[in-house]
Amino acid sequence: MMGELGMRVVYGANIVVAGLVGTSALFRPSAAVRSVFEGTSSPGSAMGVTGAFWCTVALLSVAGLVWPTRMAPVLLVQLCYKALWLAFFAAPAWQAGRPVPSGIASFFAVWVVVLPFVIPWRSVFGAAH
């Protein structure tokens, strides 16, 4: 575990990255499809759900700056959904020769490596400190 400073750095990155991507997907979905998703998606209801989710991560990360350990389940959710997306969407798409947004895939891969070292596992699962 890297401690509260490490969590705050991750929360700060979430605010910037998830906030920008989320607001883009919610309010300018066509632009998000071109830039963030590199043309591999289309504007529609899934883009709205994606935008709403990422904006939620950004908003909860603001609380994480104040209460880093209490908000650690946000990091656990990120670890899970990013690892699942890489394993069950990105990897099969790459193997089949289908396009995958490289920026998102790279960011997700970094987060899947970093988050296990940042998440305060004992606190998340209720063990004694």
Side-chain angles (χ1 to χ4, degrees):
M1 179 171 74
M2 295 177 69
E4 289 188 354
L5 177 60
M7 287 189 291
R8 284 190 170 103
V9 168
V10 170
Y11 291 128
N14 281 342
I15 292 164
V16 173
V17 176
L20 290 172
V21 172
T23 55
S24 177
L26 272 177
F27 301 110
R28 300 191 64 223
S30 295
V33 165
R34 284 190 308 277
S35 61
V36 177
F37 295 92
E38 301 170 17
T40 62
S41 186
S42 62
S45 59
M47 189 63 58
V49 170
T50 300
F53 178 74
W54 283 347
C55 283
T56 300
V57 168
L59 288 172
L60 292 173
S61 292
V62 171
L65 291 176
V66 179
W67 303 288
T69 302
R70 284 187 185 174
M71 298 308 294
V74 172
L75 305 179
L76 182 59
V77 166
Q78 285 188 282
L79 175 62
C80 292
Y81 93 81
K82 289 175 187 324
L84 289 169
W85 185 84
L86 288 168
F88 296 107
F89 177 80
W94 281 322
Q95 289 176 341
R98 293 189 311 269
V100 173
S102 60
I104 292 173
S106 298
F107 186 75
F108 279 22
V110 168
W111 245 216
V112 166
V113 170
V114 168
L115 286 175
F117 295 101
V118 175
I119 294 170
W121 294 103
R122 290 182 184 190
S123 296
V124 169
F125 291 108
H129 296 274

PDB file of all heavy atoms in Angstrom, residues 37-71:
ATOM      1  N   PHE A  37     -12.322   7.697 -28.105  1.00  0.00           N
ATOM      2  CA  PHE A  37     -12.587   6.318 -28.521  1.00  0.00           C
ATOM      3  C   PHE A  37     -12.031   6.003 -29.906  1.00  0.00           C
ATOM      4  O   PHE A  37     -12.246   4.912 -30.428  1.00  0.00           O
ATOM      5  CB  PHE A  37     -14.093   6.029 -28.434  1.00  0.00           C
ATOM      6  CG  PHE A  37     -14.591   6.083 -27.024  1.00  0.00           C
ATOM      7  CD1 PHE A  37     -15.107   7.256 -26.491  1.00  0.00           C
ATOM      8  CD2 PHE A  37     -14.517   4.967 -26.200  1.00  0.00           C
ATOM      9  CE1 PHE A  37     -15.547   7.324 -25.178  1.00  0.00           C
ATOM     10  CE2 PHE A  37     -14.941   5.019 -24.891  1.00  0.00           C
ATOM     11  CZ  PHE A  37     -15.464   6.203 -24.373  1.00  0.00           C
ATOM     12  N   GLU A  38     -11.314   6.968 -30.477  1.00  0.00           N
ATOM     13  CA  GLU A  38     -10.583   6.778 -31.732  1.00  0.00           C
ATOM     14  C   GLU A  38     -11.452   6.172 -32.836  1.00  0.00           C
ATOM     15  O   GLU A  38     -11.005   5.331 -33.604  1.00  0.00           O
ATOM     16  CB  GLU A  38      -9.336   5.936 -31.480  1.00  0.00           C
ATOM     17  CG  GLU A  38      -8.402   6.566 -30.465  1.00  0.00           C
ATOM     18  CD  GLU A  38      -7.285   5.644 -30.011  1.00  0.00           C
ATOM     19  OE1 GLU A  38      -7.001   4.638 -30.680  1.00  0.00           O
ATOM     20  OE2 GLU A  38      -6.697   5.943 -28.950  1.00  0.00           O
ATOM     21  N   GLY A  39     -12.717   6.569 -32.872  1.00  0.00           N
ATOM     22  CA  GLY A  39     -13.624   6.098 -33.919  1.00  0.00           C
ATOM     23  C   GLY A  39     -14.093   4.663 -33.767  1.00  0.00           C
ATOM     24  O   GLY A  39     -14.729   4.117 -34.658  1.00  0.00           O
ATOM     25  N   THR A  40     -13.804   4.037 -32.633  1.00  0.00           N
ATOM     26  CA  THR A  40     -14.174   2.627 -32.444  1.00  0.00           C
ATOM     27  C   THR A  40     -15.550   2.465 -31.814  1.00  0.00           C
ATOM     28  O   THR A  40     -15.969   1.345 -31.535  1.00  0.00           O
ATOM     29  CB  THR A  40     -13.140   1.890 -31.561  1.00  0.00           C
ATOM     30  OG1 THR A  40     -13.117   2.509 -30.275  1.00  0.00           O
ATOM     31  CG2 THR A  40     -11.763   1.924 -32.196  1.00  0.00           C
ATOM     32  N   SER A  41     -16.236   3.557 -31.568  1.00  0.00           N
ATOM     33  CA  SER A  41     -17.555   3.521 -30.946  1.00  0.00           C
ATOM     34  C   SER A  41     -18.469   4.436 -31.737  1.00  0.00           C
ATOM     35  O   SER A  41     -18.087   4.961 -32.778  1.00  0.00           O
ATOM     36  CB  SER A  41     -17.439   3.983 -29.489  1.00  0.00           C
ATOM     37  OG  SER A  41     -18.660   3.830 -28.815  1.00  0.00           O
ATOM     38  N   SER A  42     -19.671   4.633 -31.232  1.00  0.00           N
ATOM     39  CA  SER A  42     -20.580   5.577 -31.863  1.00  0.00           C
ATOM     40  C   SER A  42     -21.349   6.313 -30.779  1.00  0.00           C
ATOM     41  O   SER A  42     -21.555   5.782 -29.693  1.00  0.00           O
ATOM     42  CB  SER A  42     -21.547   4.843 -32.801  1.00  0.00           C
ATOM     43  OG  SER A  42     -22.330   3.931 -32.065  1.00  0.00           O
ATOM     44  N   PRO A  43     -21.765   7.555 -31.088  1.00  0.00           N
ATOM     45  CA  PRO A  43     -22.551   8.281 -30.089  1.00  0.00           C
ATOM     46  C   PRO A  43     -23.881   7.553 -29.885  1.00  0.00           C
ATOM     47  O   PRO A  43     -24.453   7.044 -30.829  1.00  0.00           O
ATOM     48  CB  PRO A  43     -22.758   9.658 -30.696  1.00  0.00           C
ATOM     49  CG  PRO A  43     -22.061   9.670 -32.002  1.00  0.00           C
ATOM     50  CD  PRO A  43     -21.540   8.316 -32.282  1.00  0.00           C
ATOM     51  N   GLY A  44     -24.321   7.467 -28.683  1.00  0.00           N
ATOM     52  CA  GLY A  44     -25.581   6.802 -28.391  1.00  0.00           C
ATOM     53  C   GLY A  44     -25.725   6.586 -26.899  1.00  0.00           C
ATOM     54  O   GLY A  44     -24.997   7.166 -26.095  1.00  0.00           O
ATOM     55  N   SER A  45     -26.669   5.738 -26.543  1.00  0.00           N
ATOM     56  CA  SER A  45     -26.963   5.540 -25.126  1.00  0.00           C
ATOM     57  C   SER A  45     -25.778   4.949 -24.372  1.00  0.00           C
ATOM     58  O   SER A  45     -25.540   5.309 -23.212  1.00  0.00           O
ATOM     59  CB  SER A  45     -28.208   4.665 -24.950  1.00  0.00           C
ATOM     60  OG  SER A  45     -28.020   3.411 -25.553  1.00  0.00           O
ATOM     61  N   ALA A  46     -25.004   4.071 -24.987  1.00  0.00           N
ATOM     62  CA  ALA A  46     -23.835   3.507 -24.298  1.00  0.00           C
ATOM     63  C   ALA A  46     -22.811   4.593 -23.996  1.00  0.00           C
ATOM     64  O   ALA A  46     -22.170   4.576 -22.943  1.00  0.00           O
ATOM     65  CB  ALA A  46     -23.201   2.392 -25.126  1.00  0.00           C
ATOM     66  N   MET A  47     -22.684   5.551 -24.899  1.00  0.00           N
ATOM     67  CA  MET A  47     -21.757   6.663 -24.659  1.00  0.00           C
ATOM     68  C   MET A  47     -22.262   7.500 -23.481  1.00  0.00           C
ATOM     69  O   MET A  47     -21.470   7.971 -22.659  1.00  0.00           O
ATOM     70  CB  MET A  47     -21.623   7.526 -25.917  1.00  0.00           C
ATOM     71  CG  MET A  47     -20.549   8.567 -25.838  1.00  0.00           C
ATOM     72  SD  MET A  47     -18.854   7.941 -25.645  1.00  0.00           S
ATOM     73  CE  MET A  47     -18.692   6.914 -27.094  1.00  0.00           C
ATOM     74  N   GLY A  48     -23.571   7.670 -23.372  1.00  0.00           N
ATOM     75  CA  GLY A  48     -24.144   8.402 -22.244  1.00  0.00           C
ATOM     76  C   GLY A  48     -23.897   7.701 -20.922  1.00  0.00           C
ATOM     77  O   GLY A  48     -23.553   8.331 -19.925  1.00  0.00           O
ATOM     78  N   VAL A  49     -24.052   6.390 -20.914  1.00  0.00           N
ATOM     79  CA  VAL A  49     -23.793   5.613 -19.689  1.00  0.00           C
ATOM     80  C   VAL A  49     -22.312   5.709 -19.330  1.00  0.00           C
ATOM     81  O   VAL A  49     -21.957   5.913 -18.166  1.00  0.00           O
ATOM     82  CB  VAL A  49     -24.223   4.134 -19.870  1.00  0.00           C
ATOM     83  CG1 VAL A  49     -23.738   3.280 -18.719  1.00  0.00           C
ATOM     84  CG2 VAL A  49     -25.729   4.037 -20.024  1.00  0.00           C
ATOM     85  N   THR A  50     -21.457   5.584 -20.317  1.00  0.00           N
ATOM     86  CA  THR A  50     -20.019   5.687 -20.087  1.00  0.00           C
ATOM     87  C   THR A  50     -19.668   7.053 -19.508  1.00  0.00           C
ATOM     88  O   THR A  50     -18.927   7.155 -18.529  1.00  0.00           O
ATOM     89  CB  THR A  50     -19.249   5.458 -21.406  1.00  0.00           C
ATOM     90  OG1 THR A  50     -19.557   4.154 -21.884  1.00  0.00           O
ATOM     91  CG2 THR A  50     -17.755   5.608 -21.225  1.00  0.00           C
ATOM     92  N   GLY A  51     -20.218   8.098 -20.101  1.00  0.00           N
ATOM     93  CA  GLY A  51     -19.956   9.450 -19.612  1.00  0.00           C
ATOM     94  C   GLY A  51     -20.448   9.653 -18.192  1.00  0.00           C
ATOM     95  O   GLY A  51     -19.754  10.243 -17.363  1.00  0.00           O
ATOM     96  N   ALA A  52     -21.647   9.163 -17.916  1.00  0.00           N
ATOM     97  CA  ALA A  52     -22.203   9.309 -16.565  1.00  0.00           C
ATOM     98  C   ALA A  52     -21.343   8.556 -15.545  1.00  0.00           C
ATOM     99  O   ALA A  52     -21.072   9.060 -14.448  1.00  0.00           O
ATOM    100  CB  ALA A  52     -23.644   8.792 -16.537  1.00  0.00           C
ATOM    101  N   PHE A  53     -20.894   7.353 -15.911  1.00  0.00           N
ATOM    102  CA  PHE A  53     -20.067   6.567 -14.993  1.00  0.00           C
ATOM    103  C   PHE A  53     -18.746   7.285 -14.716  1.00  0.00           C
ATOM    104  O   PHE A  53     -18.323   7.419 -13.564  1.00  0.00           O
ATOM    105  CB  PHE A  53     -19.822   5.162 -15.542  1.00  0.00           C
ATOM    106  CG  PHE A  53     -18.949   4.336 -14.650  1.00  0.00           C
ATOM    107  CD1 PHE A  53     -19.445   3.817 -13.461  1.00  0.00           C
ATOM    108  CD2 PHE A  53     -17.627   4.103 -14.972  1.00  0.00           C
ATOM    109  CE1 PHE A  53     -18.632   3.077 -12.606  1.00  0.00           C
ATOM    110  CE2 PHE A  53     -16.813   3.359 -14.135  1.00  0.00           C
ATOM    111  CZ  PHE A  53     -17.317   2.849 -12.951  1.00  0.00           C
ATOM    112  N   TRP A  54     -18.079   7.752 -15.762  1.00  0.00           N
ATOM    113  CA  TRP A  54     -16.786   8.399 -15.566  1.00  0.00           C
ATOM    114  C   TRP A  54     -16.932   9.724 -14.820  1.00  0.00           C
ATOM    115  O   TRP A  54     -16.056  10.087 -14.030  1.00  0.00           O
ATOM    116  CB  TRP A  54     -16.052   8.562 -16.880  1.00  0.00           C
ATOM    117  CG  TRP A  54     -15.429   7.265 -17.331  1.00  0.00           C
ATOM    118  CD1 TRP A  54     -15.265   6.142 -16.581  1.00  0.00           C
ATOM    119  CD2 TRP A  54     -14.905   6.974 -18.614  1.00  0.00           C
ATOM    120  NE1 TRP A  54     -14.660   5.158 -17.339  1.00  0.00           N
ATOM    121  CE2 TRP A  54     -14.428   5.638 -18.589  1.00  0.00           C
ATOM    122  CE3 TRP A  54     -14.783   7.687 -19.788  1.00  0.00           C
ATOM    123  CZ2 TRP A  54     -13.843   5.033 -19.682  1.00  0.00           C
ATOM    124  CZ3 TRP A  54     -14.197   7.076 -20.879  1.00  0.00           C
ATOM    125  CH2 TRP A  54     -13.730   5.763 -20.824  1.00  0.00           C
ATOM    126  N   CYS A  55     -18.009  10.453 -15.061  1.00  0.00           N
ATOM    127  CA  CYS A  55     -18.244  11.670 -14.269  1.00  0.00           C
ATOM    128  C   CYS A  55     -18.459  11.319 -12.801  1.00  0.00           C
ATOM    129  O   CYS A  55     -18.000  12.040 -11.912  1.00  0.00           O
ATOM    130  CB  CYS A  55     -19.439  12.450 -14.820  1.00  0.00           C
ATOM    131  SG  CYS A  55     -19.050  13.383 -16.314  1.00  0.00           S
ATOM    132  N   THR A  56     -19.134  10.203 -12.541  1.00  0.00           N
ATOM    133  CA  THR A  56     -19.334   9.747 -11.164  1.00  0.00           C
ATOM    134  C   THR A  56     -17.991   9.418 -10.510  1.00  0.00           C
ATOM    135  O   THR A  56     -17.748   9.800  -9.362  1.00  0.00           O
ATOM    136  CB  THR A  56     -20.274   8.526 -11.135  1.00  0.00           C
ATOM    137  OG1 THR A  56     -21.526   8.904 -11.697  1.00  0.00           O
ATOM    138  CG2 THR A  56     -20.454   7.998  -9.726  1.00  0.00           C
ATOM    139  N   VAL A  57     -17.126   8.726 -11.226  1.00  0.00           N
ATOM    140  CA  VAL A  57     -15.783   8.421 -10.700  1.00  0.00           C
ATOM    141  C   VAL A  57     -15.046   9.719 -10.375  1.00  0.00           C
ATOM    142  O   VAL A  57     -14.421   9.843  -9.317  1.00  0.00           O
ATOM    143  CB  VAL A  57     -14.981   7.547 -11.691  1.00  0.00           C
ATOM    144  CG1 VAL A  57     -13.502   7.476 -11.302  1.00  0.00           C
ATOM    145  CG2 VAL A  57     -15.573   6.146 -11.778  1.00  0.00           C
ATOM    146  N   ALA A  58     -15.141  10.699 -11.252  1.00  0.00           N
ATOM    147  CA  ALA A  58     -14.475  11.981 -11.008  1.00  0.00           C
ATOM    148  C   ALA A  58     -15.050  12.681  -9.776  1.00  0.00           C
ATOM    149  O   ALA A  58     -14.297  13.180  -8.936  1.00  0.00           O
ATOM    150  CB  ALA A  58     -14.595  12.880 -12.241  1.00  0.00           C
ATOM    151  N   LEU A  59     -16.372  12.707  -9.659  1.00  0.00           N
ATOM    152  CA  LEU A  59     -17.005  13.355  -8.508  1.00  0.00           C
ATOM    153  C   LEU A  59     -16.659  12.646  -7.198  1.00  0.00           C
ATOM    154  O   LEU A  59     -16.337  13.295  -6.199  1.00  0.00           O
ATOM    155  CB  LEU A  59     -18.518  13.401  -8.695  1.00  0.00           C
ATOM    156  CG  LEU A  59     -19.011  14.383  -9.748  1.00  0.00           C
ATOM    157  CD1 LEU A  59     -20.505  14.194  -9.993  1.00  0.00           C
ATOM    158  CD2 LEU A  59     -18.703  15.812  -9.344  1.00  0.00           C
ATOM    159  N   LEU A  60     -16.709  11.328  -7.198  1.00  0.00           N
ATOM    160  CA  LEU A  60     -16.356  10.586  -5.990  1.00  0.00           C
ATOM    161  C   LEU A  60     -14.870  10.740  -5.654  1.00  0.00           C
ATOM    162  O   LEU A  60     -14.486  10.686  -4.484  1.00  0.00           O
ATOM    163  CB  LEU A  60     -16.728   9.109  -6.137  1.00  0.00           C
ATOM    164  CG  LEU A  60     -18.229   8.817  -6.187  1.00  0.00           C
ATOM    165  CD1 LEU A  60     -18.478   7.352  -6.493  1.00  0.00           C
ATOM    166  CD2 LEU A  60     -18.905   9.226  -4.894  1.00  0.00           C
ATOM    167  N   SER A  61     -14.057  10.961  -6.666  1.00  0.00           N
ATOM    168  CA  SER A  61     -12.628  11.180  -6.436  1.00  0.00           C
ATOM    169  C   SER A  61     -12.367  12.513  -5.758  1.00  0.00           C
ATOM    170  O   SER A  61     -11.376  12.662  -5.046  1.00  0.00           O
ATOM    171  CB  SER A  61     -11.859  11.067  -7.751  1.00  0.00           C
ATOM    172  OG  SER A  61     -11.885   9.729  -8.209  1.00  0.00           O
ATOM    173  N   VAL A  62     -13.250  13.492  -5.960  1.00  0.00           N
ATOM    174  CA  VAL A  62     -13.131  14.753  -5.216  1.00  0.00           C
ATOM    175  C   VAL A  62     -13.268  14.448  -3.721  1.00  0.00           C
ATOM    176  O   VAL A  62     -12.474  14.922  -2.907  1.00  0.00           O
ATOM    177  CB  VAL A  62     -14.187  15.785  -5.683  1.00  0.00           C
ATOM    178  CG1 VAL A  62     -14.189  17.002  -4.761  1.00  0.00           C
ATOM    179  CG2 VAL A  62     -13.926  16.189  -7.129  1.00  0.00           C
ATOM    180  N   ALA A  63     -14.254  13.622  -3.376  1.00  0.00           N
ATOM    181  CA  ALA A  63     -14.400  13.201  -1.975  1.00  0.00           C
ATOM    182  C   ALA A  63     -13.174  12.405  -1.527  1.00  0.00           C
ATOM    183  O   ALA A  63     -12.754  12.492  -0.378  1.00  0.00           O
ATOM    184  CB  ALA A  63     -15.673  12.382  -1.798  1.00  0.00           C
ATOM    185  N   GLY A  64     -12.586  11.638  -2.446  1.00  0.00           N
ATOM    186  CA  GLY A  64     -11.387  10.866  -2.129  1.00  0.00           C
ATOM    187  C   GLY A  64     -10.196  11.725  -1.749  1.00  0.00           C
ATOM    188  O   GLY A  64      -9.334  11.298  -0.979  1.00  0.00           O
ATOM    189  N   LEU A  65     -10.131  12.936  -2.266  1.00  0.00           N
ATOM    190  CA  LEU A  65      -9.051  13.845  -1.857  1.00  0.00           C
ATOM    191  C   LEU A  65      -9.169  14.205  -0.382  1.00  0.00           C
ATOM    192  O   LEU A  65      -8.175  14.398   0.303  1.00  0.00           O
ATOM    193  CB  LEU A  65      -9.079  15.121  -2.701  1.00  0.00           C
ATOM    194  CG  LEU A  65      -8.698  14.966  -4.165  1.00  0.00           C
ATOM    195  CD1 LEU A  65      -8.878  16.299  -4.889  1.00  0.00           C
ATOM    196  CD2 LEU A  65      -7.282  14.446  -4.324  1.00  0.00           C
ATOM    197  N   VAL A  66     -10.413  14.277   0.106  1.00  0.00           N
ATOM    198  CA  VAL A  66     -10.661  14.625   1.508  1.00  0.00           C
ATOM    199  C   VAL A  66     -10.601  13.385   2.399  1.00  0.00           C
ATOM    200  O   VAL A  66     -10.007  13.415   3.476  1.00  0.00           O
ATOM    201  CB  VAL A  66     -12.033  15.322   1.651  1.00  0.00           C
ATOM    202  CG1 VAL A  66     -12.323  15.669   3.100  1.00  0.00           C
ATOM    203  CG2 VAL A  66     -12.101  16.562   0.765  1.00  0.00           C
ATOM    204  N   TRP A  67     -11.223  12.294   1.971  1.00  0.00           N
ATOM    205  CA  TRP A  67     -11.302  11.050   2.738  1.00  0.00           C
ATOM    206  C   TRP A  67     -10.748   9.906   1.898  1.00  0.00           C
ATOM    207  O   TRP A  67     -11.491   9.060   1.399  1.00  0.00           O
ATOM    208  CB  TRP A  67     -12.744  10.734   3.122  1.00  0.00           C
ATOM    209  CG  TRP A  67     -13.418  11.813   3.890  1.00  0.00           C
ATOM    210  CD1 TRP A  67     -13.183  12.178   5.181  1.00  0.00           C
ATOM    211  CD2 TRP A  67     -14.460  12.671   3.413  1.00  0.00           C
ATOM    212  NE1 TRP A  67     -14.005  13.213   5.540  1.00  0.00           N
ATOM    213  CE2 TRP A  67     -14.807  13.537   4.460  1.00  0.00           C
ATOM    214  CE3 TRP A  67     -15.133  12.797   2.192  1.00  0.00           C
ATOM    215  CZ2 TRP A  67     -15.787  14.504   4.336  1.00  0.00           C
ATOM    216  CZ3 TRP A  67     -16.112  13.770   2.064  1.00  0.00           C
ATOM    217  CH2 TRP A  67     -16.429  14.602   3.129  1.00  0.00           C
ATOM    218  N   PRO A  68      -9.430   9.850   1.709  1.00  0.00           N
ATOM    219  CA  PRO A  68      -8.862   8.869   0.787  1.00  0.00           C
ATOM    220  C   PRO A  68      -9.185   7.417   1.122  1.00  0.00           C
ATOM    221  O   PRO A  68      -9.539   6.640   0.235  1.00  0.00           O
ATOM    222  CB  PRO A  68      -7.359   9.136   0.843  1.00  0.00           C
ATOM    223  CG  PRO A  68      -7.132  10.102   1.928  1.00  0.00           C
ATOM    224  CD  PRO A  68      -8.425  10.696   2.330  1.00  0.00           C
ATOM    225  N   THR A  69      -9.096   7.043   2.368  1.00  0.00           N
ATOM    226  CA  THR A  69      -9.336   5.642   2.723  1.00  0.00           C
ATOM    227  C   THR A  69     -10.818   5.293   2.639  1.00  0.00           C
ATOM    228  O   THR A  69     -11.178   4.232   2.136  1.00  0.00           O
ATOM    229  CB  THR A  69      -8.769   5.341   4.127  1.00  0.00           C
ATOM    230  OG1 THR A  69      -7.364   5.646   4.116  1.00  0.00           O
ATOM    231  CG2 THR A  69      -8.948   3.885   4.487  1.00  0.00           C
ATOM    232  N   ARG A  70     -11.672   6.173   3.101  1.00  0.00           N
ATOM    233  CA  ARG A  70     -13.115   5.916   3.047  1.00  0.00           C
ATOM    234  C   ARG A  70     -13.613   5.759   1.611  1.00  0.00           C
ATOM    235  O   ARG A  70     -14.560   5.027   1.358  1.00  0.00           O
ATOM    236  CB  ARG A  70     -13.901   7.043   3.704  1.00  0.00           C
ATOM    237  CG  ARG A  70     -13.851   7.011   5.184  1.00  0.00           C
ATOM    238  CD  ARG A  70     -14.778   8.041   5.740  1.00  0.00           C
ATOM    239  NE  ARG A  70     -14.650   8.088   7.183  1.00  0.00           N
ATOM    240  CZ  ARG A  70     -15.251   8.967   7.939  1.00  0.00           C
ATOM    241  NH1 ARG A  70     -16.038   9.872   7.406  1.00  0.00           N
ATOM    242  NH2 ARG A  70     -15.067   8.945   9.242  1.00  0.00           N
ATOM    243  N   MET A  71     -12.983   6.450   0.678  1.00  0.00           N
ATOM    244  CA  MET A  71     -13.421   6.402  -0.708  1.00  0.00           C
ATOM    245  C   MET A  71     -12.686   5.336  -1.520  1.00  0.00           C
ATOM    246  O   MET A  71     -12.890   5.203  -2.715  1.00  0.00           O
ATOM    247  CB  MET A  71     -13.250   7.776  -1.361  1.00  0.00           C
ATOM    248  CG  MET A  71     -14.084   8.882  -0.720  1.00  0.00           C
ATOM    249  SD  MET A  71     -15.846   8.482  -0.570  1.00  0.00           S
ATOM    250  CE  MET A  71     -16.313   8.411  -2.275  1.00  0.00           C
TER     251      MET A  71
END
